[in-house]
Amino acid sequence: MSLELPAVRPQRISSRGRGTALILVSSVCFGSSGTIAKPAMLAGFSPEQVAAARIGLAAVVLVVAAALFRPRLLRVRRAEWPVVLGYGMLGVAGVQLCYFVAVGRLPVGIAILLEFTSPVLIALWTRFVRGVRLSRVMWLGIGLAMLGLALVAEVWEGLSLDAVGLLAGLGGALCSAAYFLLGEHGAATRDPLGLVLWGMVVGAVVVCAVSPPWRLSGLDAVTDFGPWHPPVWLLLVAVALLSTMFAYGLGTSALRYLPAAVASVLGLLEPVIATASAWALLGEALSWVQLAGAVVLLGGAALVQYVHSRQSGQAQPAVGQESPASAP
């Protein structure tokens, strides 16, 4: 699979604010998925069924919308298929399935922490594969973000390790890193919405093979969601549109303006949103340690963004000149 990127990507330099806003809103959308989907699981749906419903429905909506309003998004050049397939299988289906296996065998906090080690993997890729030297302050910001994540996840609660669960959690981290790296490459060579569309189609095929959607039943069952009592099907529609279609679309679009190493750290806002929304709508406890962890995590993410902004401002590449950050 070729990951050769175009030499010039000036959008990053001129639209850092736009990229940051996109990835932060995407993280909010992603972070809401657990809170929206959990009532459906409490009503008897398995995590795999919820994943199949959210990805499958998002794929159908995107294909229909593109066919009606932007047919060019449905076209994929032969050279683009490796990235599209990798994005769909790893960044869409792989992240979901690995996380669900990890949650089934490990405490939720450990599973979340393992998946969200992806910024470290991306930083290592950037340093040793792309050959881009990261400053000590950047590494400090990544370290603070990971420490804050560990506090938010309260990884010491019910600590127990299972070999299969551990491998699944690390697999989720690799798939999450692939989502950012392949998304960064795909967004540079084609419309990000086209990449998300076909990524959803590929992901839907993979996930639905594991959990066929025709086995779904009880969609009209009423469940509790904060002060409301919606049917399960409405929650599945919400998680498909808000937490899947919009989340992936905004997140992948952000990679036109931010490198994967920065976007992945800013994406750590997701577990903070997940914890806060579960506290607000589902009544799940939120400890002072988790609040402190959220502050540390956000501080680390802000530090990474600050360093990136300074480096970008000092080293803006001229048009036609290759930037080290755009290397594969």
Side-chain angles (χ1 to χ4, degrees):
M1 180 184 297
S2 174
L3 292 181
E4 183 179 357
L5 302 184
V8 182
R9 297 182 63 183
Q11 303 101 314
R12 283 187 185 171
I13 304 303
S14 61
S15 301
R16 290 192 305 270
R18 180 183 299 178
T20 300
L22 287 171
I23 198 67
L24 291 179
V25 176
S26 172
S27 298
V28 172
C29 293
F30 272 127
S32 68
S33 62
T35 302
I36 298 174
K38 187 167 183 178
M41 297 179 192
L42 294 176
F45 288 78
S46 70
E48 293 82 1
Q49 288 177 317
V50 173
R54 67 183 288 192
I55 296 174
L57 182 56
V60 170
V61 172
L62 284 169
V63 169
V64 172
L68 292 175
F69 302 107
R70 297 181 67 182
R72 65 184 181 83
L73 294 179
L74 297 173
R75 294 193 291 269
V76 182
R77 296 191 300 269
R78 180 179 298 180
E80 295 173 334
W81 275 113
V83 172
V84 169
L85 291 173
Y87 180 89
M89 290 188 292
L90 299 176
V92 177
V95 169
Q96 300 291 332
L97 294 176
C98 286
Y99 176 70
F100 289 145
V101 172
V103 166
R105 292 176 172 269
L106 297 174
V108 174
I110 298 293
I112 293 175
L113 180 64
L114 288 173
E115 179 180 339
F116 281 91
T117 56
S118 56
V120 176
L121 299 180
I122 293 172
L124 293 174
W125 177 277
T126 301
R127 174 64 184 90
F128 295 107
V129 178
R130 292 179 172 173
V132 178
R133 189 176 299 277
L134 303 178
S135 69
R136 293 181 180 179
V137 180
M138 179 79 83
W139 285 108
L140 174 62
I142 293 173
L144 286 174
M146 297 308 302
L147 173 61
L149 176 60
L151 294 174
V152 170
E154 293 188 331
V155 296
W156 55 88
E157 292 291 338
L159 182 61
S160 62
L161 293 180
D162 174 273
V164 175
L166 181 61
L167 289 175
L170 294 175
L174 290 172
C175 289
S176 180
Y179 158 70
F180 284 103
L181 292 169
L182 292 173
E184 179 186 41
H185 172 62
T189 58
R190 61 170 292 129
D191 191 312
L193 294 182
L195 176 63
V196 172
L197 184 157
W198 282 107
M200 286 295 156
V201 172
V202 173
V205 171
V206 174
V207 175
C208 290
V210 175
S211 179
W214 53 84
R215 294 181 182 175
L216 293 175
S217 61
L219 292 173
D220 57 348
V222 175
T223 186
D224 295 329
F225 182 66
W228 305 286
H229 306 283
V232 170
W233 67 263
L234 184 58
L235 293 178
L236 294 179
V237 169
V239 79
L241 298 182
L242 177 65
S243 305
T244 307
M245 189 175 73
F246 288 139
Y248 273 94
L250 294 172
T252 304
S253 296
L255 293 168
R256 275 194 164 184
Y257 313 109
L258 295 173
V262 173
S264 62
V265 175
L266 296 177
L268 290 174
L269 178 65
E270 179 183 338
V272 177
I273 296 298
T275 303
S277 61
W279 168 75
L281 293 173
L282 302 181
E284 296 187 356
L286 188 63
S287 68
W288 286 105
V289 173
Q290 289 175 304
L291 291 173
V295 173
V296 174
L297 187 155
L298 294 175
L303 184 60
V304 169
Q305 174 65 1
Y306 171 73
V307 173
H308 171 64
S309 298
R310 289 197 60 184
Q311 291 176 342
S312 298
Q314 294 171 0
Q316 181 172 349
V319 174
Q321 179 180 356
E322 182 173 359
S323 168
S326 66

